[in-house]
Coordinates of all heavy atoms in Angstrom, one line a residue:
I1 N 0.8 -1.2 0.0 CA 0.0 0.0 0.0 C 0.9 1.2 0.0 O 2.1 1.2 0.3 CB -1.0 0.0 1.2 CG1 -0.2 0.1 2.5 CG2 -1.9 -1.2 1.2 CD1 -1.1 0.3 3.7
L2 N 0.3 2.4 -0.2 CA 1.0 3.6 -0.2 C 0.6 4.4 1.0 O -0.6 4.5 1.3 CB 0.8 4.4 -1.5 CG 1.2 3.7 -2.8 CD1 0.8 4.6 -4.0 CD2 2.7 3.5 -2.8
D3 N 1.5 5.1 1.7 CA 1.1 6.0 2.8 C 0.7 7.4 2.2 O 0.7 7.6 1.0 CB 2.2 6.0 3.8 CG 3.5 6.7 3.4 OD1 3.5 7.4 2.3 OD2 4.5 6.7 4.1
E4 N 0.5 8.3 3.1 CA 0.1 9.6 2.8 C 1.1 10.4 1.9 O 0.8 11.4 1.2 CB -0.4 10.5 4.0 CG 0.8 10.7 5.0 CD 1.1 9.6 5.9 OE1 0.4 8.6 5.9 OE2 2.0 9.7 6.7
N5 N 2.4 10.0 2.0 CA 3.5 10.6 1.2 C 3.8 9.8 0.0 O 4.9 10.0 -0.6 CB 4.7 10.7 2.1 CG 4.5 11.6 3.3 OD1 3.9 12.7 3.1 ND2 4.9 11.2 4.4
L6 N 2.9 8.8 -0.4 CA 3.1 8.0 -1.5 C 4.3 7.1 -1.4 O 4.9 6.7 -2.4 CB 3.1 8.8 -2.8 CG 1.8 9.6 -3.1 CD1 1.9 10.3 -4.4 CD2 0.6 8.6 -3.2
Q7 N 4.7 6.7 -0.2 CA 5.8 5.8 0.0 C 5.2 4.4 0.1 O 4.2 4.2 0.8 CB 6.6 6.2 1.3 CG 7.2 7.5 1.3 CD 8.3 7.6 0.3 OE1 9.2 6.8 0.2 NE2 8.2 8.6 -0.6
L8 N 5.9 3.5 -0.5 CA 5.5 2.1 -0.5 C 5.6 1.5 0.9 O 6.7 1.6 1.6 CB 6.3 1.3 -1.5 CG 5.9 -0.2 -1.6 CD1 4.5 -0.4 -2.1 CD2 6.9 -0.9 -2.5
K9 N 4.6 0.8 1.4 CA 4.6 0.2 2.7 C 4.2 -1.3 2.5 O 3.2 -1.6 1.8 CB 3.6 0.8 3.7 CG 3.9 2.3 4.0 CD 5.2 2.4 4.8 CE 5.4 3.9 5.1 NZ 6.6 4.1 5.8
L10 N 5.0 -2.2 3.1 CA 4.6 -3.6 3.0 C 3.7 -3.9 4.2 O 3.9 -3.4 5.3 CB 5.9 -4.5 3.1 CG 6.9 -4.3 2.0 CD1 8.1 -5.2 2.2 CD2 6.3 -4.6 0.7
I11 N 2.7 -4.7 3.9 CA 1.7 -5.1 4.9 C 1.6 -6.6 5.0 O 2.0 -7.3 4.1 CB 0.4 -4.4 4.7 CG1 -0.2 -4.9 3.4 CG2 0.5 -2.9 4.7 CD1 -1.7 -4.5 3.2
D12 N 1.1 -7.0 6.1 CA 0.9 -8.4 6.3 C -0.6 -8.7 6.4 O -1.4 -7.9 7.0 CB 1.6 -8.9 7.6 CG 1.4 -10.3 7.9 OD1 2.0 -11.2 7.2 OD2 0.6 -10.7 8.8
M13 N -1.1 -9.8 6.0 CA -2.5 -10.1 6.0 C -2.9 -11.0 7.1 O -3.9 -11.7 7.0 CB -2.9 -10.8 4.6 CG -2.7 -9.8 3.5 SD -3.6 -8.3 3.7 CE -3.5 -7.7 2.0
G14 N -2.1 -11.1 8.2 CA -2.5 -11.9 9.3 C -1.7 -13.1 9.7 O -2.0 -13.7 10.7
F15 N -0.7 -13.4 8.9 CA 0.1 -14.6 9.3 C 1.5 -14.3 9.7 O 2.4 -15.1 9.6 CB 0.2 -15.5 8.0 CG -1.1 -16.2 7.7 CD1 -1.9 -15.7 6.6 CD2 -1.7 -17.1 8.5 CE1 -3.1 -16.3 6.3 CE2 -2.9 -17.7 8.2 CZ -3.6 -17.3 7.1
A16 N 1.7 -13.1 10.3 CA 3.0 -12.7 10.8 C 3.4 -13.6 12.0 O 2.5 -14.0 12.7 CB 3.0 -11.2 11.1
A17 N 4.7 -13.8 12.1 CA 5.2 -14.6 13.3 C 6.6 -14.2 13.6 O 7.3 -13.7 12.8 CB 5.2 -16.1 12.9
F18 N 6.9 -14.3 14.9 CA 8.3 -14.0 15.3 C 9.1 -15.2 15.0 O 8.6 -16.4 15.1 CB 8.3 -13.7 16.8 CG 7.7 -12.4 17.2 CD1 6.4 -12.3 17.7 CD2 8.3 -11.2 16.9 CE1 5.8 -11.1 18.0 CE2 7.8 -10.0 17.2 CZ 6.5 -9.9 17.7
Y19 N 10.3 -15.0 14.7 CA 11.2 -16.2 14.4 C 12.6 -15.9 14.9 O 13.0 -14.7 15.1 CB 11.2 -16.5 12.9 CG 11.9 -15.5 12.1 CD1 13.3 -15.7 11.8 CD2 11.3 -14.4 11.6 CE1 14.0 -14.8 11.0 CE2 12.0 -13.4 10.9 CZ 13.3 -13.7 10.6 OH 14.0 -12.7 9.8
T20 N 13.4 -16.9 15.1 CA 14.8 -16.8 15.3 C 15.5 -17.7 14.3 O 14.9 -18.4 13.5 CB 15.1 -17.4 16.7 OG1 14.8 -18.8 16.8 CG2 14.4 -16.6 17.8
E21 N 16.8 -17.7 14.3 CA 17.6 -18.5 13.4 C 17.2 -20.0 13.4 O 17.4 -20.7 12.5 CB 19.1 -18.3 13.6 CG 19.5 -16.9 13.2 CD 19.4 -16.7 11.7 OE1 19.6 -17.6 10.9 OE2 19.1 -15.5 11.4
S22 N 16.8 -20.5 14.6 CA 16.4 -21.9 14.8 C 15.0 -22.2 14.6 O 14.6 -23.3 14.8 CB 16.9 -22.4 16.1 OG 16.3 -21.7 17.2
T23 N 14.1 -21.2 14.2 CA 12.7 -21.4 14.1 C 12.3 -22.1 12.8 O 12.8 -21.7 11.7 CB 11.9 -20.1 14.2 OG1 12.3 -19.5 15.4 CG2 10.4 -20.3 14.1
W24 N 11.6 -23.1 12.9 CA 11.0 -23.8 11.7 C 9.5 -23.7 11.8 O 8.9 -23.8 12.9 CB 11.4 -25.3 11.7 CG 12.8 -25.4 11.3 CD1 13.9 -25.4 12.2 CD2 13.4 -25.6 10.0 NE1 15.0 -25.6 11.5 CE2 14.8 -25.8 10.2 CE3 12.8 -25.7 8.8 CZ2 15.6 -26.0 9.1 CZ3 13.7 -26.0 7.7 CH2 15.1 -26.1 7.9
F25 N 8.8 -23.4 10.7 CA 7.4 -23.3 10.7 C 6.7 -24.5 9.9 O 7.4 -25.1 9.1 CB 6.9 -22.0 9.9 CG 7.4 -20.8 10.6 CD1 8.5 -20.1 10.2 CD2 6.7 -20.3 11.7 CE1 8.9 -18.9 10.8 CE2 7.1 -19.2 12.4 CZ 8.2 -18.5 11.9
S26 N 5.5 -24.8 10.3 CA 4.7 -25.8 9.6 C 3.3 -25.4 9.2 O 2.6 -26.2 8.7 CB 4.7 -27.1 10.4 OG 4.0 -26.8 11.7
T27 N 3.0 -24.1 9.4 CA 1.7 -23.6 9.0 C 1.8 -23.2 7.5 O 2.6 -22.5 7.1 CB 1.4 -22.3 9.8 OG1 1.5 -22.6 11.2 CG2 0.1 -21.7 9.4
F28 N 0.9 -23.8 6.8 CA 0.9 -23.6 5.3 C -0.2 -22.6 5.0 O -1.4 -22.8 5.2 CB 0.6 -24.9 4.6 CG 1.7 -25.9 5.0 CD1 1.4 -26.9 5.9 CD2 3.0 -25.8 4.6 CE1 2.3 -27.8 6.3 CE2 3.9 -26.7 4.9 CZ 3.6 -27.7 5.8
C29 N 0.2 -21.4 4.6 CA -0.7 -20.3 4.3 C -0.3 -19.5 3.1 O 0.8 -19.6 2.6 CB -0.8 -19.4 5.6 SG 0.8 -18.8 6.1
G30 N -1.1 -18.6 2.6 CA -0.8 -17.8 1.5 C -1.5 -18.1 0.3 O -2.3 -19.1 0.2
S31 N -1.2 -17.4 -0.8 CA -1.8 -17.6 -2.1 C -1.1 -18.8 -2.8 O 0.2 -18.7 -2.9 CB -1.7 -16.4 -2.9 OG -2.1 -16.6 -4.2
P32 N -1.8 -19.8 -3.3 CA -1.1 -20.9 -4.0 C -0.2 -20.5 -5.1 O 0.8 -21.1 -5.4 CB -2.3 -21.7 -4.5 CG -3.4 -21.4 -3.6 CD -3.2 -19.9 -3.2
D33 N -0.5 -19.4 -5.9 CA 0.3 -19.0 -7.0 C 1.7 -18.5 -6.6 O 2.6 -18.5 -7.4 CB -0.4 -17.9 -7.8 CG -1.5 -18.5 -8.7 OD1 -1.5 -19.7 -9.0 OD2 -2.4 -17.7 -9.1
F34 N 1.8 -18.1 -5.3 CA 3.0 -17.5 -4.8 C 3.7 -18.3 -3.8 O 4.7 -18.0 -3.3 CB 2.7 -16.1 -4.2 CG 2.1 -15.2 -5.2 CD1 0.7 -15.0 -5.3 CD2 2.9 -14.5 -6.2 CE1 0.1 -14.2 -6.2 CE2 2.3 -13.7 -7.1 CZ 0.9 -13.5 -7.2
A35 N 3.2 -19.5 -3.5 CA 3.7 -20.4 -2.5 C 5.0 -21.1 -2.9 O 5.2 -21.5 -4.1 CB 2.7 -21.5 -2.1
A36 N 5.9 -21.2 -2.0 CA 7.2 -21.9 -2.2 C 6.9 -23.4 -2.3 O 5.9 -23.9 -1.8 CB 8.1 -21.6 -1.1
P37 N 7.9 -24.2 -2.9 CA 7.7 -25.6 -3.0 C 7.5 -26.3 -1.6 O 6.8 -27.3 -1.5 CB 9.1 -26.1 -3.6 CG 9.6 -24.9 -4.3 CD 9.1 -23.7 -3.5
E38 N 8.1 -25.8 -0.5 CA 7.9 -26.4 0.8 C 6.4 -26.5 1.2 O 6.1 -27.5 1.8 CB 8.6 -25.5 1.9 CG 10.1 -25.5 1.8 CD 10.7 -24.4 0.8 OE1 10.0 -23.9 -0.1 OE2 11.9 -24.1 1.0
F39 N 5.6 -25.6 0.7 CA 4.2 -25.7 1.1 C 3.5 -26.9 0.4 O 2.8 -27.6 1.0 CB 3.5 -24.4 0.7 CG 3.8 -23.2 1.5 CD1 4.5 -22.1 1.0 CD2 3.5 -23.1 2.8 CE1 4.9 -21.0 1.7 CE2 3.8 -22.0 3.6 CZ 4.5 -21.0 3.0
Y40 N 3.9 -27.1 -0.9 CA 3.3 -28.2 -1.6 C 3.9 -29.5 -1.2 O 3.2 -30.6 -1.2 CB 3.5 -28.0 -3.1 CG 2.6 -26.9 -3.7 CD1 3.2 -25.6 -4.0 CD2 1.3 -27.0 -3.8 CE1 2.4 -24.6 -4.4 CE2 0.5 -26.0 -4.3 CZ 1.1 -24.8 -4.6 OH 0.3 -23.8 -5.0
L41 N 5.1 -29.5 -0.7 CA 5.7 -30.7 -0.3 C 5.4 -31.0 1.2 O 5.7 -32.1 1.7 CB 7.3 -30.6 -0.4 CG 7.7 -30.5 -1.9 CD1 9.2 -30.2 -1.9 CD2 7.4 -31.8 -2.6
R42 N 4.7 -30.1 1.8 CA 4.3 -30.2 3.2 C 5.4 -30.5 4.2 O 5.4 -31.4 5.0 CB 3.2 -31.3 3.4 CG 1.9 -31.0 2.6 CD 1.2 -30.0 3.3 NE -0.1 -29.8 2.6 CZ -0.8 -28.7 2.8 NH1 -0.4 -27.7 3.6 NH2 -2.0 -28.5 2.1
I43 N 6.5 -29.8 4.0 CA 7.7 -29.9 4.9 C 7.9 -28.6 5.7 O 7.4 -27.5 5.2 CB 9.0 -30.2 4.1 CG1 9.3 -29.2 3.0 CG2 8.8 -31.6 3.4 CD1 10.6 -29.4 2.3
E44 N 8.5 -28.7 6.8 CA 8.8 -27.5 7.6 C 9.7 -26.6 6.8 O 10.4 -27.0 6.0 CB 9.4 -27.9 8.9 CG 8.4 -28.6 9.8 CD 9.0 -28.8 11.2 OE1 10.3 -29.0 11.3 OE2 8.3 -28.8 12.2
Y45 N 9.5 -25.3 7.1 CA 10.3 -24.3 6.4 C 10.7 -23.1 7.3 O 10.2 -23.0 8.4 CB 9.4 -23.7 5.2 CG 8.1 -23.0 5.7 CD1 8.1 -21.7 6.0 CD2 7.0 -23.8 6.0 CE1 6.9 -21.0 6.5 CE2 5.8 -23.2 6.4 CZ 5.8 -21.8 6.7 OH 4.7 -21.2 7.1
R46 N 11.6 -22.3 6.8 CA 12.1 -21.1 7.5 C 11.3 -20.0 6.9 O 11.1 -20.0 5.6 CB 13.5 -20.9 7.4 CG 14.3 -22.0 8.2 CD 15.8 -21.6 8.3 NE 16.5 -22.7 8.9 CZ 16.7 -22.8 10.3 NH1 16.2 -21.8 11.1 NH2 17.4 -23.7 10.8
G47 N 11.0 -19.0 7.7 CA 10.2 -17.9 7.2 C 10.8 -17.0 6.0 O 10.2 -16.9 5.0
P48 N 12.0 -16.5 6.3 CA 12.5 -15.6 5.2 C 12.7 -16.2 3.9 O 12.4 -15.5 2.9 CB 13.9 -15.1 5.9 CG 13.6 -15.2 7.3 CD 12.7 -16.4 7.5
P49 N 13.2 -17.4 3.7 CA 13.4 -17.9 2.4 C 12.1 -18.1 1.6 O 12.1 -17.8 0.4 CB 14.1 -19.3 2.6 CG 14.8 -19.2 3.9 CD 13.9 -18.3 4.7
V50 N 11.0 -18.5 2.2 CA 9.7 -18.6 1.5 C 9.2 -17.2 1.2 O 8.5 -17.1 0.2 CB 8.7 -19.5 2.2 CG1 9.2 -20.9 2.3 CG2 8.3 -19.0 3.6
D51 N 9.5 -16.2 2.0 CA 9.1 -14.9 1.7 C 9.8 -14.3 0.5 O 9.2 -13.7 -0.4 CB 9.3 -14.0 2.9 CG 8.4 -14.2 4.1 OD1 7.3 -14.9 3.9 OD2 8.7 -13.8 5.2
V52 N 11.1 -14.6 0.4 CA 11.9 -14.2 -0.7 C 11.4 -14.9 -2.0 O 11.3 -14.3 -3.1 CB 13.4 -14.5 -0.5 CG1 14.2 -14.3 -1.8 CG2 13.9 -13.6 0.6
W53 N 11.0 -16.2 -1.9 CA 10.4 -16.9 -3.0 C 9.2 -16.2 -3.5 O 9.0 -15.9 -4.7 CB 10.0 -18.3 -2.6 CG 9.3 -19.1 -3.6 CD1 8.0 -19.0 -3.9 CD2 9.9 -20.0 -4.6 NE1 7.7 -19.9 -5.0 CE2 8.8 -20.5 -5.4 CE3 11.2 -20.5 -4.8 CZ2 9.0 -21.4 -6.5 CZ3 11.3 -21.4 -5.9 CH2 10.3 -21.8 -6.7
A54 N 8.3 -15.8 -2.6 CA 7.0 -15.1 -2.9 C 7.3 -13.8 -3.6 O 6.7 -13.4 -4.6 CB 6.2 -14.9 -1.7
V55 N 8.3 -13.1 -3.1 CA 8.7 -11.8 -3.8 C 9.2 -12.0 -5.2 O 8.9 -11.3 -6.1 CB 9.7 -11.0 -2.9 CG1 10.3 -9.8 -3.7 CG2 9.1 -10.6 -1.6
G56 N 10.0 -13.1 -5.4 CA 10.4 -13.4 -6.7 C 9.3 -13.7 -7.7 O 9.3 -13.3 -8.8
V57 N 8.3 -14.5 -7.2 CA 7.1 -14.8 -8.0 C 6.3 -13.5 -8.3 O 5.9 -13.3 -9.5 CB 6.2 -15.8 -7.3 CG1 4.9 -16.0 -8.1 CG2 6.9 -17.1 -7.1
V58 N 6.2 -12.6 -7.4 CA 5.5 -11.3 -7.6 C 6.3 -10.5 -8.7 O 5.7 -10.0 -9.6 CB 5.4 -10.5 -6.3 CG1 5.0 -9.1 -6.6 CG2 4.4 -11.2 -5.4
L59 N 7.6 -10.5 -8.5 CA 8.4 -9.7 -9.5 C 8.3 -10.3 -10.9 O 8.1 -9.6 -11.9 CB 9.9 -9.7 -9.1 CG 10.9 -9.0 -10.0 CD1 10.5 -7.5 -10.2 CD2 12.3 -9.1 -9.5
F60 N 8.4 -11.7 -11.0 CA 8.2 -12.4 -12.3 C 6.9 -12.0 -12.9 O 6.8 -11.7 -14.1 CB 8.3 -13.9 -12.1 CG 8.2 -14.7 -13.4 CD1 9.4 -15.1 -14.0 CD2 7.0 -15.0 -13.9 CE1 9.3 -15.8 -15.2 CE2 6.9 -15.8 -15.0 CZ 8.1 -16.2 -15.7
S61 N 5.8 -12.1 -12.1 CA 4.5 -11.8 -12.5 C 4.3 -10.3 -13.0 O 3.6 -10.1 -14.0 CB 3.5 -12.1 -11.4 OG 3.5 -13.4 -11.1
M62 N 4.9 -9.4 -12.3 CA 4.9 -8.0 -12.7 C 5.6 -7.8 -14.0 O 5.1 -6.9 -14.8 CB 5.5 -7.1 -11.6 CG 4.6 -7.1 -10.3 SD 5.5 -6.2 -9.0 CE 5.7 -4.6 -9.6
L63 N 6.7 -8.5 -14.2 CA 7.5 -8.2 -15.4 C 6.9 -8.9 -16.6 O 7.0 -8.4 -17.8 CB 8.9 -8.7 -15.2 CG 9.7 -7.9 -14.2 CD1 11.1 -8.5 -14.0 CD2 9.9 -6.5 -14.7
T64 N 6.2 -10.1 -16.4 CA 5.7 -10.8 -17.6 C 4.2 -10.9 -17.7 O 3.7 -11.2 -18.8 CB 6.2 -12.3 -17.5 OG1 5.6 -12.9 -16.3 CG2 7.7 -12.4 -17.3
G65 N 3.5 -10.6 -16.7 CA 2.0 -10.7 -16.7 C 1.5 -12.1 -16.5 O 0.4 -12.3 -16.7
H66 N 2.4 -13.0 -16.1 CA 2.1 -14.4 -15.9 C 2.7 -14.9 -14.6 O 3.8 -14.4 -14.2 CB 2.6 -15.3 -17.1 CG 2.0 -15.0 -18.4 ND1 2.1 -13.7 -19.0 CD2 1.3 -15.7 -19.3 CE1 1.5 -13.7 -20.2 NE2 1.0 -14.9 -20.4
V67 N 2.1 -15.9 -14.0 CA 2.8 -16.6 -12.9 C 3.8 -17.6 -13.5 O 3.6 -18.0 -14.7 CB 1.8 -17.3 -12.0 CG1 0.9 -16.3 -11.3 CG2 1.0 -18.3 -12.7
P68 N 4.9 -17.8 -12.8 CA 6.0 -18.6 -13.4 C 5.7 -20.1 -13.6 O 6.4 -20.8 -14.3 CB 7.2 -18.4 -12.5 CG 6.6 -17.9 -11.2 CD 5.3 -17.3 -11.5
F69 N 4.7 -20.6 -12.8 CA 4.4 -22.1 -12.8 C 3.0 -22.3 -13.1 O 2.1 -21.7 -12.6 CB 4.8 -22.7 -11.5 CG 6.2 -22.5 -11.1 CD1 6.6 -21.5 -10.2 CD2 7.3 -23.2 -11.7 CE1 7.9 -21.3 -9.9 CE2 8.6 -23.0 -11.4 CZ 8.9 -22.0 -10.4
N70 N 2.7 -23.2 -14.1 CA 1.3 -23.5 -14.5 C 0.5 -24.3 -13.5 O -0.7 -24.2 -13.3 CB 1.3 -24.1 -15.8 CG 1.8 -23.2 -16.9 OD1 1.5 -22.0 -16.9 ND2 2.6 -23.7 -17.8
T71 N 1.2 -25.3 -12.8 CA 0.6 -26.2 -11.9 C 1.5 -26.4 -10.7 O 2.7 -26.1 -10.7 CB 0.3 -27.6 -12.5 OG1 1.6 -28.2 -12.7 CG2 -0.5 -27.5 -13.8
P72 N 1.0 -26.8 -9.5 CA 1.8 -27.1 -8.4 C 2.9 -28.2 -8.7 O 4.0 -28.1 -8.3 CB 0.9 -27.7 -7.3 CG -0.4 -27.0 -7.7 CD -0.4 -26.9 -9.2
T73 N 2.6 -29.1 -9.6 CA 3.6 -30.1 -10.0 C 4.7 -29.5 -10.8 O 5.9 -29.8 -10.5 CB 2.9 -31.2 -10.9 OG1 1.8 -31.8 -10.2 CG2 3.9 -32.3 -11.3
D74 N 4.4 -28.5 -11.6 CA 5.5 -27.8 -12.3 C 6.4 -27.1 -11.3 O 7.6 -27.0 -11.5 CB 4.9 -26.8 -13.3 CG 4.2 -27.4 -14.5 OD1 4.5 -28.7 -14.8 OD2 3.5 -26.7 -15.3
L75 N 5.7 -26.5 -10.4 CA 6.5 -25.7 -9.3 C 7.4 -26.6 -8.6 O 8.6 -26.3 -8.5 CB 5.5 -25.0 -8.4 CG 6.1 -24.2 -7.3 CD1 5.2 -23.0 -7.0 CD2 6.4 -25.0 -6.0
V76 N 7.0 -27.7 -8.1 CA 7.8 -28.7 -7.3 C 8.9 -29.2 -8.2 O 10.0 -29.4 -7.7 CB 6.9 -29.8 -6.7 CG1 7.8 -30.9 -6.1 CG2 6.0 -29.2 -5.7
K77 N 8.7 -29.5 -9.5 CA 9.7 -30.0 -10.4 C 10.6 -28.9 -10.9 O 11.6 -29.2 -11.6 CB 9.0 -30.7 -11.5 CG 8.4 -32.0 -11.2 CD 7.8 -32.7 -12.4 CE 7.2 -34.0 -12.0 NZ 6.7 -34.7 -13.2
G78 N 10.3 -27.6 -10.6 CA 11.1 -26.5 -11.1 C 10.9 -26.2 -12.6 O 11.8 -25.7 -13.3
K79 N 9.8 -26.6 -13.2 CA 9.4 -26.5 -14.6 C 8.9 -25.1 -14.8 O 7.7 -24.8 -14.7 CB 8.5 -27.5 -15.1 CG 8.2 -27.5 -16.5 CD 7.3 -28.6 -16.9 CE 6.9 -28.5 -18.4 NZ 5.8 -29.4 -18.8
L80 N 9.7 -24.1 -15.1 CA 9.3 -22.7 -15.2 C 8.7 -22.5 -16.6 O 9.1 -23.0 -17.6 CB 10.6 -21.9 -15.2 CG 10.4 -20.4 -15.3 CD1 9.7 -19.8 -14.1 CD2 11.8 -19.7 -15.3
G81 N 7.5 -21.8 -16.6 CA 6.8 -21.5 -17.8 C 7.2 -20.1 -18.2 O 6.9 -19.1 -17.6
V82 N 8.1 -20.0 -19.3 CA 8.5 -18.7 -19.7 C 7.6 -18.2 -20.8 O 7.5 -18.9 -21.9 CB 10.0 -18.8 -20.2 CG1 10.5 -17.4 -20.7 CG2 10.9 -19.3 -19.1
P83 N 7.0 -17.1 -20.6 CA 6.0 -16.6 -21.6 C 6.8 -16.0 -22.8 O 7.9 -15.6 -22.7 CB 5.2 -15.5 -20.9 CG 6.0 -15.1 -19.7 CD 6.9 -16.3 -19.4

């Protein structure tokens, strides 16, 4: 979102959590199109790497107008759909 000075602000939609270097999560949440492979594989994950994954998917989508993976199977296999 943008604040009153038109500065970009990142917001959370309710799944924020505190973490440490040794924290592993098992809550699977978020939009399927932006989810990291860990979510589909149902394995524990660390917060920051899956957040970076989601940002990469957002950037790809903004640049191409498409999501990078057509199906969850393509995502898990790393089969990138280049438009």
Side-chain angles (χ1 to χ4, degrees):
I1 65 171
L2 299 175
D3 68 9
E4 64 277 358
N5 298 314
L6 300 179
Q7 298 295 309
L8 181 65
K9 300 291 181 182
L10 297 180
I11 61 170
D12 180 73
M13 299 301 194
F15 291 106
F18 290 104
Y19 71 94
T20 64
E21 292 293 324
S22 62
T23 302
W24 289 86
F25 296 101
S26 60
T27 303
F28 303 103
C29 55
S31 174
D33 285 337
F34 302 95
E38 292 88 339
F39 291 110
Y40 290 104
L41 296 172
R42 297 287 184 200
I43 59 176
E44 290 187 328
Y45 61 93
R46 294 193 183 267
V50 297
D51 291 342
V52 170
W53 174 278
V55 169
V57 173
V58 169
L59 179 60
F60 183 96
S61 300
M62 289 172 62
L63 292 173
T64 66
H66 298 57
V67 293
F69 304 101
N70 295 321
T71 67
T73 302
D74 290 346
L75 183 146
V76 170
K77 291 182 177 181
K79 185 180 174 188
L80 181 66
V82 179

